[in-house]
Amino acid sequence: MWELEDDAFLLMHLRMTGVLLLDPPPDAPYVRVRFVLDDGAHELRFCDPRRFGTGEIAVGTAARDAFFAARLGLEPLSGELTGAALRTMARGRHAPIKAFLLDQRRVAGVGNIYADEALFRARIHPLRPAGTLKRAQYDALAVAVRETLLAGLAAGGATIDDFRHADGVSGAFQNEFLVHRRRGEGCPVCGGEIVKFVAAGRGTYACEHCQPRPRGRRSRPRGRAAHA
Ligand SMILES: [Zn+2]
């Protein structure tokens, strides 16, 4: 969120591959938008190979707040995200808990990496129907989401392909992943093999010893995939 002159706000979403770079080299690729800062000496550039990034202008704080209220649910770092709040929202929901976490209108700021890492910390299988967790599991998940996001922030975010800070520096959280992108490696808790499967339409990583798979949601036998 950028505060501009005259009570206007620029609300950006970098999406998958967008980066904002301050005074990058002149040959920086994929420049989509150039912002000239008001000192006239510096330029901020929005670079985005895949062009999924978005930017919208809101005029006035009421318009800004309405924009976010329509799109973002509980803010995990504000204290709003509690086990009780999760339990209330998830009541009667059959969608996998991972899909529930990824819905920004319920919990803000949890993407694919952070969902996997939080569910592992809370020892909850990503395919568990959202409304079926035990009370203690909602509590554990609320704590795990917060801890995961704080760990990600402390490491400067995760740079898998593109993400960089405005000064061009990459994040380091990818070096601290517990399960995400670690298929075939040993679980940091039990040593069992980390597996990859699809949940909520996304590549998902878990330790199915620490995060027991819900009944009736068995892995598909490997041989069949070849026919698909
Ligand atoms: Zn494990």
Side-chain angles (χ1 to χ4, degrees), residues 120 187 189-192 207 209-210:
F120 174 75
C187 164
V189 173
C190 75
C207 168
H209 177 76
C210 293

Side-chain angles (χ1 to χ4, degrees), residues 22-23 35-44:
L22 184 63
D23 298 328
F35 302 91
V36 178
L37 304 190
D38 60 6
D39 66 359
H42 295 287
E43 196 174 283
L44 190 68

Side-chain angles (χ1 to χ4, degrees), residues 65-82 85-86 89 100-110 145 149:
D65 294 347
F67 180 92
F68 287 123
R71 289 164 179 79
L72 299 180
L74 300 180
E75 167 52 57
L77 304 184
S78 72
E80 294 173 353
L81 182 69
T82 61
L86 280 177
M89 282 194 299
F100 178 89
L101 280 182
L102 290 177
D103 183 345
Q104 303 298 305
R105 292 165 298 179
R106 300 191 183 285
V107 181
V110 180
V145 166
L149 290 172

Side-chain angles (χ1 to χ4, degrees), residues 181-198:
R181 296 204 164 214
R182 294 198 178 280
R183 171 162 56 177
E185 295 181 32
C187 164
V189 173
C190 75
E193 185 180 336
I194 294 167
V195 294
K196 181 183 182 186
F197 51 91
V198 174

